[in-house]
Amino acid sequence: MSLNFDLQESLYMLDSEELKLIQTNSVNKNQLAFAVMLKFFQAECRYPTSQDTIEPTVLYSIAQQLNLTTVSSLEQPSLETRTAARFRQIIREFLGYRIATLSDAETLVSWLMKQAKNGPYTLPQYREKVSQFFREHKLELFTSEQIDRYIRSALDQFEKQFFANIVK
């Protein structure tokens, strides 16, 4: 996944609450990483990973808003540290999200089974529906592997119920 600034420049603009959150919860050298994680989560409902590419124009725009001018602060931020884990917790709390549980997974599977009744969807369409479900319930997304597993489980259960009803 690549975040491109051209898609929606306003998506990466920091409001006064976000600026205050970033400045009170991180030191200068970590502010860019915190801000990138916050804006990425708002856009994608997940945090960036090492496979994600943050466009330099996005980094530059966010850095300008934070008044960061040193070259080292404009490098791709490290997102796999204990500091990043703390940032993820703060961001979840700020946005009112929580980590999904097994109970949420069961609810998701049931919800997907109901969605399957509305028509045949492709795997990418189901993934989009899952993303919508997580946004509506303010849950942090599962990994893509977990999401695919829950989609397959829901479809399998739906088909078994569907054919069991035909046999009756």
Side-chain angles (χ1 to χ4, degrees), residues 11 19-20 29 36 39 45 100:
L11 186 62
L19 283 169
K20 182 179 176 186
K29 71 176 189 167
V36 166
K39 293 318 242 179
C45 197

Side-chain angles (χ1 to χ4, degrees), residues 11-29:
L11 186 62
Y12 303 103
M13 299 305 294
L14 297 166
D15 65 28
S16 60
E17 270 186 54
E18 293 167 343
L19 283 169
K20 182 179 176 186
L21 178 75
I22 293 162
Q23 291 166 346
T24 58
N25 287 291
S26 59
V27 295
N28 278 353
K29 71 176 189 167

